[in-house]
Amino acid sequence: MDEFQISNNFATGFIGRAIFMFAMLFLLWMMFRASTLAHERGSNLFQKILGTVISGSVLVFNLTAWNTFPSFFNNWAFSLSQLDSLSVGGQRFVDNMGATGYLDTGLIPSDPVSIVFWLGITIALFYGIWTAPEPKE
């Protein structure tokens, strides 16, 4: 493969990952909306447990999508670094990324700002679910 083919494959993959990320953020918005409705209408214990399980699943999906991007760009740069000759822009991209090997995606973000961001979202979502009042009868 040459530089154009590698970049084209990764750019095409990036489009799919971006669409998936937007879908996951939409699901996260839906979970916060459900938490708001639980406060307006009330929820019983079963609804709180169900909301926690579904919200937790959405959070895991979001974390997976969020953490895919750094490894995606690293792996793109590493693939380009394996070529014999690169364009100036390709070489600059490889140098800026500092890719030394392929990275796998993890569930825990690699930077502290993302950790604080997702921890805050998790606390806000679960706090909203578990502080909802009982249903009004």
Short mmCIF file of all heavy atoms in Angstrom, two decimals, residues 58-88:
data_model
loop_
_atom_site.label_atom_id
_atom_site.label_comp_id
_atom_site.label_asym_id
_atom_site.label_seq_id
_atom_site.Cartn_x
_atom_site.Cartn_y
_atom_site.Cartn_z
N VAL A 58 -25.00 2.66 28.06
CA VAL A 58 -24.77 3.79 27.15
C VAL A 58 -23.44 4.47 27.49
O VAL A 58 -22.69 4.86 26.59
CB VAL A 58 -25.95 4.78 27.21
CG1 VAL A 58 -25.62 6.08 26.50
CG2 VAL A 58 -27.19 4.15 26.59
N LEU A 59 -23.13 4.59 28.77
CA LEU A 59 -21.85 5.19 29.16
C LEU A 59 -20.67 4.34 28.69
O LEU A 59 -19.66 4.88 28.22
CB LEU A 59 -21.79 5.37 30.68
CG LEU A 59 -22.59 6.54 31.22
CD1 LEU A 59 -22.68 6.47 32.74
CD2 LEU A 59 -21.97 7.86 30.79
N VAL A 60 -20.78 3.02 28.80
CA VAL A 60 -19.70 2.14 28.32
C VAL A 60 -19.53 2.28 26.81
O VAL A 60 -18.41 2.37 26.31
CB VAL A 60 -19.97 0.68 28.73
CG1 VAL A 60 -19.04 -0.27 28.01
CG2 VAL A 60 -19.82 0.52 30.23
N PHE A 61 -20.64 2.32 26.07
CA PHE A 61 -20.55 2.50 24.62
C PHE A 61 -19.91 3.84 24.28
O PHE A 61 -19.09 3.94 23.37
CB PHE A 61 -21.94 2.41 23.97
CG PHE A 61 -22.52 1.04 23.94
CD1 PHE A 61 -23.88 0.86 24.10
CD2 PHE A 61 -21.74 -0.08 23.75
CE1 PHE A 61 -24.45 -0.40 24.08
CE2 PHE A 61 -22.28 -1.35 23.73
CZ PHE A 61 -23.64 -1.50 23.88
N ASN A 62 -20.28 4.90 25.02
CA ASN A 62 -19.70 6.22 24.78
C ASN A 62 -18.22 6.25 25.10
O ASN A 62 -17.44 6.85 24.36
CB ASN A 62 -20.44 7.28 25.60
CG ASN A 62 -21.60 7.88 24.85
OD1 ASN A 62 -21.40 8.62 23.91
ND2 ASN A 62 -22.80 7.54 25.26
N LEU A 63 -17.82 5.64 26.19
CA LEU A 63 -16.40 5.59 26.53
C LEU A 63 -15.60 4.83 25.48
O LEU A 63 -14.50 5.23 25.12
CB LEU A 63 -16.20 4.95 27.91
CG LEU A 63 -16.42 5.86 29.09
CD1 LEU A 63 -16.42 5.06 30.38
CD2 LEU A 63 -15.34 6.93 29.14
N THR A 64 -16.16 3.75 24.99
CA THR A 64 -15.48 2.99 23.94
C THR A 64 -15.33 3.84 22.68
O THR A 64 -14.25 3.87 22.08
CB THR A 64 -16.27 1.70 23.62
OG1 THR A 64 -16.41 0.94 24.82
CG2 THR A 64 -15.57 0.87 22.57
N ALA A 65 -16.39 4.53 22.29
CA ALA A 65 -16.31 5.38 21.10
C ALA A 65 -15.33 6.53 21.32
O ALA A 65 -14.54 6.87 20.43
CB ALA A 65 -17.70 5.92 20.75
N TRP A 66 -15.38 7.14 22.51
CA TRP A 66 -14.49 8.26 22.83
C TRP A 66 -13.02 7.84 22.79
O TRP A 66 -12.17 8.56 22.29
CB TRP A 66 -14.87 8.78 24.22
CG TRP A 66 -14.13 9.97 24.70
CD1 TRP A 66 -12.93 9.99 25.37
CD2 TRP A 66 -14.54 11.33 24.59
NE1 TRP A 66 -12.59 11.27 25.69
CE2 TRP A 66 -13.55 12.13 25.22
CE3 TRP A 66 -15.64 11.96 24.03
CZ2 TRP A 66 -13.64 13.50 25.29
CZ3 TRP A 66 -15.72 13.34 24.11
CH2 TRP A 66 -14.73 14.09 24.73
N ASN A 67 -12.73 6.68 23.34
CA ASN A 67 -11.35 6.21 23.43
C ASN A 67 -10.83 5.61 22.14
O ASN A 67 -9.65 5.29 22.04
CB ASN A 67 -11.21 5.21 24.57
CG ASN A 67 -11.44 5.86 25.90
OD1 ASN A 67 -11.16 7.03 26.08
ND2 ASN A 67 -11.97 5.11 26.84
N THR A 68 -11.69 5.43 21.17
CA THR A 68 -11.25 4.89 19.88
C THR A 68 -10.45 5.91 19.09
O THR A 68 -9.51 5.55 18.38
CB THR A 68 -12.48 4.44 19.06
OG1 THR A 68 -13.14 3.41 19.78
CG2 THR A 68 -12.10 3.92 17.71
N PHE A 69 -10.78 7.19 19.24
CA PHE A 69 -10.15 8.21 18.42
C PHE A 69 -8.64 8.34 18.63
O PHE A 69 -7.89 8.40 17.65
CB PHE A 69 -10.86 9.55 18.59
CG PHE A 69 -12.20 9.59 17.92
CD1 PHE A 69 -13.36 9.52 18.67
CD2 PHE A 69 -12.30 9.67 16.55
CE1 PHE A 69 -14.60 9.54 18.06
CE2 PHE A 69 -13.53 9.69 15.92
CZ PHE A 69 -14.69 9.62 16.68
N PRO A 70 -8.12 8.41 19.86
CA PRO A 70 -6.66 8.51 20.01
C PRO A 70 -5.91 7.31 19.42
O PRO A 70 -4.89 7.49 18.74
CB PRO A 70 -6.44 8.60 21.52
CG PRO A 70 -7.73 9.06 22.08
CD PRO A 70 -8.78 8.52 21.18
N SER A 71 -6.41 6.11 19.67
CA SER A 71 -5.73 4.94 19.11
C SER A 71 -5.88 4.89 17.60
O SER A 71 -4.96 4.45 16.89
CB SER A 71 -6.26 3.65 19.74
OG SER A 71 -7.63 3.47 19.45
N PHE A 72 -7.00 5.37 17.08
CA PHE A 72 -7.22 5.41 15.63
C PHE A 72 -6.17 6.27 14.95
O PHE A 72 -5.53 5.85 13.97
CB PHE A 72 -8.63 5.95 15.36
CG PHE A 72 -8.98 6.05 13.91
CD1 PHE A 72 -9.39 4.94 13.20
CD2 PHE A 72 -8.90 7.26 13.25
CE1 PHE A 72 -9.71 5.03 11.86
CE2 PHE A 72 -9.22 7.36 11.92
CZ PHE A 72 -9.63 6.24 11.22
N PHE A 73 -5.95 7.50 15.47
CA PHE A 73 -4.95 8.38 14.86
C PHE A 73 -3.54 7.85 15.07
O PHE A 73 -2.68 7.98 14.19
CB PHE A 73 -5.09 9.80 15.42
CG PHE A 73 -6.26 10.53 14.84
CD1 PHE A 73 -7.38 10.81 15.61
CD2 PHE A 73 -6.25 10.93 13.52
CE1 PHE A 73 -8.45 11.48 15.07
CE2 PHE A 73 -7.33 11.59 12.96
CZ PHE A 73 -8.44 11.87 13.74
N ASN A 74 -3.26 7.26 16.23
CA ASN A 74 -1.94 6.67 16.45
C ASN A 74 -1.68 5.55 15.45
O ASN A 74 -0.59 5.46 14.88
CB ASN A 74 -1.85 6.13 17.88
CG ASN A 74 -0.52 5.47 18.13
OD1 ASN A 74 0.47 6.15 18.36
ND2 ASN A 74 -0.48 4.15 18.06
N ASN A 75 -2.65 4.68 15.26
CA ASN A 75 -2.47 3.55 14.34
C ASN A 75 -2.34 4.03 12.90
O ASN A 75 -1.62 3.43 12.10
CB ASN A 75 -3.62 2.56 14.49
CG ASN A 75 -3.62 1.92 15.85
OD1 ASN A 75 -2.64 1.97 16.59
ND2 ASN A 75 -4.74 1.32 16.22
N TRP A 76 -3.02 5.10 12.55
CA TRP A 76 -2.89 5.68 11.22
C TRP A 76 -1.45 6.17 11.02
O TRP A 76 -0.81 5.88 10.00
CB TRP A 76 -3.87 6.81 11.10
CG TRP A 76 -3.96 7.53 9.79
CD1 TRP A 76 -3.17 7.36 8.67
CD2 TRP A 76 -4.88 8.55 9.45
NE1 TRP A 76 -3.57 8.19 7.68
CE2 TRP A 76 -4.62 8.95 8.13
CE3 TRP A 76 -5.91 9.17 10.13
CZ2 TRP A 76 -5.35 9.93 7.48
CZ3 TRP A 76 -6.64 10.16 9.48
CH2 TRP A 76 -6.36 10.52 8.18
N ALA A 77 -0.94 6.89 12.00
CA ALA A 77 0.43 7.40 11.91
C ALA A 77 1.44 6.26 11.88
O ALA A 77 2.42 6.31 11.13
CB ALA A 77 0.72 8.34 13.08
N PHE A 78 1.19 5.22 12.68
CA PHE A 78 2.13 4.10 12.68
C PHE A 78 2.13 3.38 11.34
O PHE A 78 3.19 2.97 10.84
CB PHE A 78 1.79 3.11 13.81
CG PHE A 78 2.75 1.97 13.89
CD1 PHE A 78 4.06 2.18 14.32
CD2 PHE A 78 2.37 0.70 13.52
CE1 PHE A 78 4.96 1.13 14.38
CE2 PHE A 78 3.26 -0.36 13.58
CZ PHE A 78 4.56 -0.14 14.01
N SER A 79 0.96 3.22 10.74
CA SER A 79 0.89 2.60 9.41
C SER A 79 1.67 3.41 8.39
O SER A 79 2.38 2.85 7.55
CB SER A 79 -0.56 2.46 8.96
OG SER A 79 -1.25 1.57 9.78
N LEU A 80 1.55 4.73 8.45
CA LEU A 80 2.30 5.58 7.52
C LEU A 80 3.80 5.51 7.80
O LEU A 80 4.61 5.57 6.87
CB LEU A 80 1.82 7.03 7.62
CG LEU A 80 0.44 7.33 7.06
CD1 LEU A 80 0.06 8.77 7.35
CD2 LEU A 80 0.38 7.04 5.57
N SER A 81 4.18 5.37 9.07
CA SER A 81 5.60 5.34 9.40
C SER A 81 6.31 4.09 8.88
O SER A 81 7.53 4.08 8.77
CB SER A 81 5.80 5.45 10.92
OG SER A 81 5.42 4.24 11.56
N GLN A 82 5.55 3.08 8.52
CA GLN A 82 6.14 1.85 8.01
C GLN A 82 6.48 1.93 6.52
O GLN A 82 7.12 1.04 5.99
CB GLN A 82 5.19 0.67 8.25
CG GLN A 82 4.87 0.43 9.71
CD GLN A 82 6.10 0.22 10.55
OE1 GLN A 82 6.91 -0.66 10.28
NE2 GLN A 82 6.28 1.06 11.57
N LEU A 83 6.07 3.00 5.86
CA LEU A 83 6.37 3.18 4.44
C LEU A 83 7.80 3.68 4.25
O LEU A 83 8.37 4.32 5.12
CB LEU A 83 5.38 4.17 3.81
CG LEU A 83 3.91 3.75 3.80
CD1 LEU A 83 3.05 4.89 3.26
CD2 LEU A 83 3.73 2.49 2.98
N ASP A 84 8.36 3.40 3.08
CA ASP A 84 9.73 3.82 2.79
C ASP A 84 9.84 5.32 2.56
O ASP A 84 10.80 5.96 2.97
CB ASP A 84 10.25 3.08 1.55
CG ASP A 84 10.40 1.58 1.83
OD1 ASP A 84 10.67 1.22 2.99
OD2 ASP A 84 10.24 0.79 0.89
N SER A 85 8.85 5.91 1.86
CA SER A 85 8.90 7.35 1.60
C SER A 85 7.52 7.95 1.87
O SER A 85 6.50 7.35 1.58
CB SER A 85 9.32 7.62 0.16
OG SER A 85 8.36 7.11 -0.74
N LEU A 86 7.55 9.14 2.45
CA LEU A 86 6.33 9.86 2.79
C LEU A 86 6.39 11.27 2.24
O LEU A 86 7.48 11.84 2.08
CB LEU A 86 6.15 9.95 4.31
CG LEU A 86 5.66 8.74 5.06
CD1 LEU A 86 5.70 9.00 6.57
CD2 LEU A 86 4.27 8.36 4.64
N SER A 87 5.23 11.84 2.03
CA SER A 87 5.18 13.26 1.66
C SER A 87 5.55 14.09 2.90
O SER A 87 5.62 13.57 4.01
CB SER A 87 3.78 13.62 1.16
OG SER A 87 2.85 13.53 2.24
N VAL A 88 5.75 15.37 2.70
CA VAL A 88 6.11 16.25 3.82
C VAL A 88 4.98 16.27 4.85
O VAL A 88 5.23 16.18 6.05
CB VAL A 88 6.42 17.67 3.29
CG1 VAL A 88 6.67 18.63 4.45
CG2 VAL A 88 7.60 17.65 2.35
#
